[in-house]
Amino acid sequence: MSEILLRTTGQIIGHFNAYKGSRPAFHGEHVVIVRGISRDPIEIDEMEAKLAEVKDILQAEEADVMSDDGKAFVEKVDSYIRDTEAADTAPDNGGILKMKEQLEAMGLNVEYKLFLMPNVGAFVAIWKDKSGFGPLYVEVTASERGEADTEMI
């Protein structure tokens, strides 16, 4: 399954022109997390629209991270990562909101979306300095979805 995860993250990273210098933050059998910096001059007011285009690229459904689908995705990613690395915290889709608040408190504009396909889910977060100066950062978390997860879309 790792190949479809790599293809999915590659499509997203490519959409943001963030290949050069991108690197896997985590590469497991069932989860891939990739971070990159866009080479395109994407302005703050263009961020949400650029992120929304990922839905069509992946031919995916968009899901609210606070929904049951979002919770299932976070728990699935957490379980896959725990299988590989020790962690002492419980999964919490509210943690995504906390992360956004912390980044915004540091002066960053943050956008994120969860995209669900039959076999893969992809959480994409992008951020840029609120001043508009500097690059756009991209992080993609792609994970396998089990049969129970795919019944929700």
Side-chain angles (χ1 to χ4, degrees), residues 39-78:
R39 301 295 178 225
D40 291 342
I42 299 168
E43 301 298 327
I44 289 175
D45 62 348
E46 300 170 324
M47 288 174 55
E48 201 282 327
K50 184 78 173 175
L51 182 58
E53 292 170 358
V54 172
K55 178 181 175 182
D56 292 334
I57 291 167
L58 298 178
Q59 298 178 347
E61 295 294 322
E62 186 178 326
D64 184 335
V65 295
M66 299 308 290
S67 69
D68 289 341
D69 287 344
K71 182 179 180 186
F73 177 81
V74 169
E75 288 174 352
K76 182 70 73 176
V77 169
D78 182 72

Side-chain angles (χ1 to χ4, degrees), residues 1-129:
M1 179 64 88
S2 186
E3 182 161 325
I4 193 168
L5 298 177
L6 294 174
R7 186 173 45 234
T8 300
T9 56
Q11 287 177 295
I12 298 166
I13 292 292
H15 174 64
F16 287 99
N17 191 18
Y19 271 119
K20 186 176 181 181
S22 68
R23 65 191 189 293
F26 181 86
H27 186 187
E29 184 178 348
H30 307 287
V31 176
V32 175
I33 302 172
V34 177
R35 294 182 182 134
I37 300 172
S38 178
R39 301 295 178 225
D40 291 342
I42 299 168
E43 301 298 327
I44 289 175
D45 62 348
E46 300 170 324
M47 288 174 55
E48 201 282 327
K50 184 78 173 175
L51 182 58
E53 292 170 358
V54 172
K55 178 181 175 182
D56 292 334
I57 291 167
L58 298 178
Q59 298 178 347
E61 295 294 322
E62 186 178 326
D64 184 335
V65 295
M66 299 308 290
S67 69
D68 289 341
D69 287 344
K71 182 179 180 186
F73 177 81
V74 169
E75 288 174 352
K76 182 70 73 176
V77 169
D78 182 72
S79 72
Y80 288 143
I81 291 174
R82 284 178 190 272
D83 287 348
T84 306
E85 297 182 3
D88 61 355
T89 57
D92 176 13
N93 54 343
I96 292 170
L97 297 178
K98 292 174 197 163
M99 173 203 68
K100 181 179 181 184
E101 289 172 3
Q102 290 173 345
L103 290 172
E104 288 175 340
M106 294 182 341
L108 302 172
N109 189 66
V110 181
E111 298 287 341
Y112 62 83
K113 292 191 181 293
L114 174 60
F115 301 99
L116 301 177
M117 296 147 286
N119 297 317
V120 177
F123 176 77
V124 183
I126 58 176
W127 61 92
K128 181 176 183 139
D129 192 285

